[in-house]
Amino acid sequence: MLRLAMLTVDQIIELEVRISEEIENLEAESESTAVEREAISPDVSIGRLSRLDSMQIQEIAKETQRRRDERLPRLKAALDRIDMDEYGKCNGCRQWIAFARLKEQPEAPFCGSCA
Ligand SMILES: [Zn+2]
């Protein structure tokens, strides 16, 4: 069976730092979006066009928020895996996930072939 190189401690630390930063960023963004959403109240009388604009902005904000909400638990789960010494292994085939892949998507629970 082909065995990919396991992650070095340095690589895991690098990824752990990235994951923690991403979680902080997402949580900070999440708070600022909540404030923006409240700022656009439907009873404020604004022109039809700007009403449409603000609806679009809200849609985009909602979509961004949805993606964040999906990503946050995955990032946190990745941190848990680091704590349990389980990080970097594919949840499917149990092989090591390539470092290059984890650099792009540090929360990835699957290797390139199982994803
Ligand atoms: Zn796999």
Side-chain angles (χ1 to χ4, degrees), residues 10-24:
D10 282 353
Q11 287 173 328
I12 292 181
I13 291 172
E14 183 186 333
L15 292 167
E16 183 175 12
V17 168
R18 292 236 349 237
I19 294 169
S20 312
E21 281 171 0
E22 295 246 16
I23 290 175
E24 264 175 47

Side-chain angles (χ1 to χ4, degrees), residues 18 27 50 54 58 61 66 73 102-103 106:
R18 292 236 349 237
E27 280 175 344
S50 45
S54 69
Q58 271 182 303
R66 198 183 58 77
L102 290 169
K103 271 180 94 164

Side-chain angles (χ1 to χ4, degrees), residues 9-77:
V9 174
D10 282 353
Q11 287 173 328
I12 292 181
I13 291 172
E14 183 186 333
L15 292 167
E16 183 175 12
V17 168
R18 292 236 349 237
I19 294 169
S20 312
E21 281 171 0
E22 295 246 16
I23 290 175
E24 264 175 47
N25 288 344
L26 290 181
E27 280 175 344
E29 272 176 37
S30 188
E31 276 165 33
S32 61
T33 316
V35 173
E36 274 164 38
R37 253 206 307 273
E38 274 166 33
I40 309 169
S41 149
D43 353 294
V44 178
S45 68
I46 43 175
R48 218 169 123 79
L49 276 178
S50 45
R51 172 75 56 88
L52 278 177
D53 278 349
S54 69
M55 276 167 63
Q56 268 172 349
I57 292 166
Q58 271 182 303
E59 279 310 305
I60 294 166
K62 251 190 251 167
E63 177 62 21
T64 315
Q65 177 77 47
R66 198 183 58 77
R67 277 204 218 113
R68 262 200 302 267
D69 289 348
E70 276 175 7
R71 190 144 188 242
L72 263 177
R74 294 182 61 178
L75 286 164
K76 286 180 177 166

